[in-house]
Amino acid sequence: MGKRGKQKLTGYDKYVDWKIFSIPVVLFFLILLMPTPGGMMDVGTEYKVGPKAVTNYLSQELFGVGSTEVPQWQLLTVKMMERNLRMGALTKTRFLKRNEKWCKKYKIAVDAPNFKRAHAFVKDQVDDARFLALMEGGLKQRRDTLRYEDLTGRDKAAADKGGWHIKVAIAMVAFVVICFVTECIPLPGVSFCIGLILVFTGVVSRQQVAMLYWSDACWFIMGSLMFAAAFVKTGVDKRVCLLMFEKLAVPNVRWITLIFFLIITPLAAFISDHALAAMFLPIGMLLYQNSLTPEVPEDPELAKMLMIGIAMACNIGGPGAPSGGARNVIMMTYLTDMFGFDIGYFQWITYCFPYLFVMIPITWLIVNWRFKPRITSLAPAMDHLRVEIHKMGPWNRKQIIALIVFVVMVFGWFTEKAFYNMGIYPIRLGIGVIAVAGAVAYLLTGVVNWRDYHEKVDWGVVWLYAGAIIFGRTLDTTGAAYWLARTVIDFLAPFGMDSGLPLMAVSNGLTAVLTNLMADGPAAAAVGPITLNMAGLVHPGTSFLPFMAMSTAIASSFAYCLIIGTPPNAIVYASGYLEPKDYLRVGLPLWFVANAVLLLLTGAYWVLRGFNALPGF
């Protein structure tokens, strides 16, 4: 997209730098050849043998026989309980909210009669206290009782396989991060290397890896770039941009980036950051392209400043409300199910929205500090837009259709989950399907043709983010993220970092590292149960527990440093104006500042305010 003739897409144009590329390759094989640490084998045992052991334990406790001997409805009962346990949902209330769709989602064999019988049994014959005791017993069975040294036969082989998968995932982390930072190989090529590594090492099959490359998030990235191309072609981006900025008395680039933060960041607390990045990308590109002059035909720093500003405005807004991201809901659910503490929607806002108020000016200052554009006034861009729009005349048919389709898409993004839960939609559409449907609608209505998409969409970014999704899911499903989290926390415990604000600082930092490598939801899911359990041990029944839940959720939004960290990072990369190191220019200082602000917010605001009637820590 954009003026490709003037852009030098470093990561795409260069060939492989074998001198540098040999470093991640050698490191990858060294990690694979080293002996598997005992901690990896323990986690491999938990992930590969744990579900079977817990299911058998629950079956023995509830029905007096092993899981291989019970009828279908009883097997369904214990499998549902085991799946809830893996998700940190330990309460009977959470179990009773599950339905047949939930079972099918997690590949639990189910039919209506058996589900009704299982549901009725738990509801009528297992009281809340016994249910919680069973789940806690299952958790102990998985984490403490089950030992790799005691395994034999198929169980030992499964645990060995699990340990190998974790080692592959850790080796892949080293390979991918070095490749992204150094650009020693074209970045979409790194994405395909991820899939090849997983297949060649036996982590996934060839059929599975093909399906993984086409997730809903990947479809969203693709669809959003396609509709941005339609906006640019029709000129709707010009009209929207002028509408937003024409009233500025001083259209300085600093104030325009501040407006980005003031508009995008609060919105990101309530609606999808994916959608906001996609909406503002063509506006940012337009501002840059129309600011160039014969005297300054190129200003890379200005382009980078605008693009990074949009991405960071999206990234810092999510913690403000529970609806700002899956990570927030995950931690709220963990807290409720594991400890019985509830955080209300509005209550979350009162604790976490002040973080946005602090981070907006700080992030804006960092962006302006790290990028020094030659062009500082965007007044010529505003004047140029007015001339262009005057030439267009009134709204034409294609512009009206482009805007209508976009409004319908945005409405679908905001409502598809709620409408599915309400039964209005018979199937869950997902934001990706809606984005691609909008892109197809532009084709069907004649707003664009396929040549427009072919030339104006950066397809490398689509593949890049597809690989990033597989990368993050591998860290999650193999247990590699869980192993990293547990290893770091266990290592720091002897240094007095396992209680109070030091424990929270460790938790936040670890979550903030992981979330740059995987999606924010899986990062919170991997770290949350560990840190909450530690919090429950060292500060039981205190305000430290809800504070830990909220801080972990916020820290999982600190994905500032890599293109693969968040969809907004990948979306703005499609502009063609950014290099991977540009994210580090802003992301590294912002990462440290955000961690410090979060800890300061906890100590100076949350601790003084307290949480309901809970004692302090």
Side-chain angles (χ1 to χ4, degrees):
M1 296 169 64
K3 297 185 178 180
R4 292 294 184 192
K6 294 185 178 182
Q7 301 304 314
K8 190 171 184 178
L9 304 183
T10 308
Y12 294 175
D13 294 340
K14 287 183 178 179
Y15 291 93
V16 176
D17 185 333
W18 282 101
K19 289 183 179 179
I20 299 177
F21 185 56
S22 62
I23 297 173
V25 171
V26 170
L27 184 58
F28 174 80
F29 283 105
L30 282 176
I31 294 173
L32 289 187
L33 293 172
M34 67 181 290
T36 305
M40 284 188 183
M41 299 310 300
D42 290 340
V43 174
T45 300
E46 281 191 41
Y47 271 67
K48 293 297 183 180
V49 186
K52 174 185 172 182
V54 171
T55 300
N56 194 60
Y57 164 82
L58 293 172
S59 181
Q60 289 281 1
E61 292 293 317
L62 279 172
F63 307 114
V65 293
S67 58
T68 59
E69 303 173 38
V70 294
Q72 281 298 314
W73 73 268
Q74 293 178 351
L75 182 62
L76 175 60
T77 303
V78 295
K79 283 190 172 182
M80 289 177 63
M81 292 176 69
E82 190 277 330
R83 182 69 237 190
N84 275 275
L85 185 146
R86 274 193 273 168
M87 300 171 67
L90 306 184
T91 62
K92 176 180 173 180
T93 302
R94 185 66 59 181
F95 178 93
L96 295 177
K97 289 182 178 179
R98 307 308 187 192
N99 54 29
E100 293 178 55
K101 289 181 179 178
W102 179 87
C103 293
K104 292 175 181 177
K105 177 181 178 181
Y106 292 103
K107 297 180 173 57
I108 300 174
V110 64
D111 58 40
N114 283 320
F115 179 83
K116 289 179 181 178
R117 195 168 179 184
H119 190 275
F121 171 79
V122 172
K123 181 180 179 181
D124 300 332
Q125 299 187 41
V126 183
D127 60 36
D128 292 353
R130 187 183 178 212
F131 188 94
L132 182 59
L134 286 169
M135 297 293 275
E136 289 176 343
L139 194 61
K140 184 177 180 181
Q141 180 78 15
R142 177 184 173 126
R143 291 183 178 175
D144 303 325
T145 306
L146 190 62
R147 294 170 56 85
Y148 173 76
E149 294 80 6
D150 300 330
L151 300 179
T152 59
R154 292 184 177 179
D155 287 346
K156 186 172 183 180
D160 288 337
K161 187 176 181 180
W164 167 253
H165 287 180
I166 294 172
K167 190 159 67 170
V168 169
I170 298 302
M172 189 173 65
V173 168
F175 174 85
V176 170
V177 171
I178 294 174
C179 286
F180 269 108
V181 172
T182 63
E183 292 185 89
C184 56
I185 178 175
L187 299 187
V190 180
S191 174
F192 288 112
C193 285
I194 292 170
L196 292 173
I197 287 171
L198 295 178
V199 173
F200 281 124
T201 55
V203 176
V204 299
S205 68
R206 65 183 188 276
Q207 293 89 352
Q208 289 172 320
V209 79
M211 290 187 291
L212 285 171
Y213 271 102
W214 286 110
S215 68
D216 185 65
C218 182
W219 273 49
F220 177 84
I221 295 288
M222 179 172 63
S224 63
L225 296 181
M226 292 164 85
F227 95 69
F231 259 37
V232 171
K233 181 182 179 181
T234 58
V236 173
D237 60 330
K238 294 182 174 68
R239 294 187 182 276
V240 173
C241 184
L242 186 63
L243 183 66
M244 288 180 59
F245 299 112
E246 68 176 341
K247 301 300 182 183
L248 278 178
V250 183
N252 185 282
V253 66
R254 293 179 181 271
W255 298 118
I256 285 181
T257 52
L258 180 60
I259 289 176
F260 277 157
F261 280 100
L262 292 175
I263 293 175
I264 296 173
T265 299
L267 285 176
F270 302 100
I271 61 179
S272 167
D273 57 359
H274 311 43
L276 289 168
M279 289 160 57
F280 279 84
L281 171 63
I283 294 174
M285 292 176 63
L286 186 71
L287 284 171
Y288 171 68
Q289 292 163 2
N290 287 281
S291 298
L292 302 177
T293 64
E295 294 76 22
V296 187
E298 287 188 59
D299 190 352
E301 289 287 285
L302 174 60
K304 293 172 180 180
M305 183 178 184
L306 292 170
M307 297 300 110
I308 290 286
I310 292 171
M312 296 306 152
C314 292
N315 292 337
I316 65 174
S323 52
R327 58 190 176 270
N328 302 339
V329 178
I330 286 171
M331 293 311 301
M332 291 170 74
T333 302
Y334 277 159
L335 185 66
T336 301
D337 289 337
M338 295 170 68
F339 298 100
F341 296 152
D342 288 314
I343 304 176
Y345 190 97
F346 181 73
Q347 188 177 32
W348 180 288
I349 292 175
T350 62
Y351 279 95
C352 298
F353 222 85
Y355 170 81
L356 273 61
F357 295 146
V358 177
M359 287 303 296
I360 285 175
I362 290 177
T363 310
W364 174 66
L365 288 172
I366 290 176
V367 169
N368 280 273
W369 164 53
R370 298 302 290 160
F371 297 108
K372 302 296 183 184
R374 295 167 61 191
I375 297 173
T376 57
S377 174
L378 299 186
M382 297 295 105
D383 295 337
H384 184 78
L385 284 177
R386 291 187 183 93
V387 173
E388 289 290 312
I389 291 173
H390 180 73
K391 291 179 181 177
M392 288 183 196
W395 285 76
N396 60 41
R397 173 184 168 275
K398 287 187 177 181
Q399 290 174 343
I400 294 172
I401 292 175
L403 190 61
I404 291 173
V405 171
F406 171 70
V407 170
V408 172
M409 271 198 301
V410 172
F411 177 78
W413 289 336
F414 294 170
T415 61
E416 59 90 19
K417 182 178 180 180
F419 281 7
Y420 172 74
N421 292 334
M422 294 166 59
I424 297 175
Y425 294 159
I427 57 173
R428 179 76 191 276
L429 297 177
I431 60 173
V433 171
I434 292 172
V436 172
V440 172
Y442 285 134
L443 285 173
L444 297 178
T445 54
V447 173
V448 296
N449 56 34
W450 186 255
R451 178 64 61 183
D452 296 317
Y453 288 155
H454 175 73
E455 294 177 348
K456 294 183 174 66
V457 172
D458 191 335
W459 296 100
V461 170
V462 177
W463 290 112
L464 175 64
Y465 201 72
I469 292 167
I470 299 174
F471 179 66
R473 285 185 178 177
T474 301
L475 289 180
D476 180 34
T477 56
T478 60
Y482 174 78
W483 174 79
L484 282 170
R486 197 175 73 170
T487 301
V488 171
I489 290 175
D490 289 347
F491 173 77
L492 292 173
F495 300 99
M497 304 288 286
D498 58 345
S499 64
L501 290 179
L503 172 61
M504 193 168 288
V506 171
S507 166
N508 296 344
L510 179 60
T511 308
V513 169
L514 284 177
T515 197
N516 279 279
L517 303 175
M518 56 197 295
D520 51 14
V527 178
I530 302 171
T531 55
L532 282 178
N533 273 299
M534 288 191 69
L537 288 173
V538 297
H539 300 293
T542 68
S543 59
F544 189 77
L545 289 164
F547 294 166
M548 177 64 82
M550 290 186 288
S551 67
T552 301
I554 293 175
S556 67
S557 70
F558 296 172
Y560 310 135
C561 299
L562 298 176
I563 297 169
I564 61 174
T566 64
N569 290 359
I571 289 170
V572 300
Y573 184 74
S575 66
Y577 299 124
L578 296 170
E579 300 175 55
K581 63 184 179 183
D582 295 320
Y583 293 89
L584 293 173
R585 289 173 64 184
V586 170
L588 278 178
L590 187 58
W591 188 92
F592 286 104
V593 169
N595 273 284
V597 168
L598 178 54
L599 205 60
L600 183 64
L601 179 72
T602 305
Y605 172 49
W606 292 358
V607 170
L608 293 178
R609 177 182 171 183
F611 190 87
N612 295 344
L614 293 177
F617 59 94

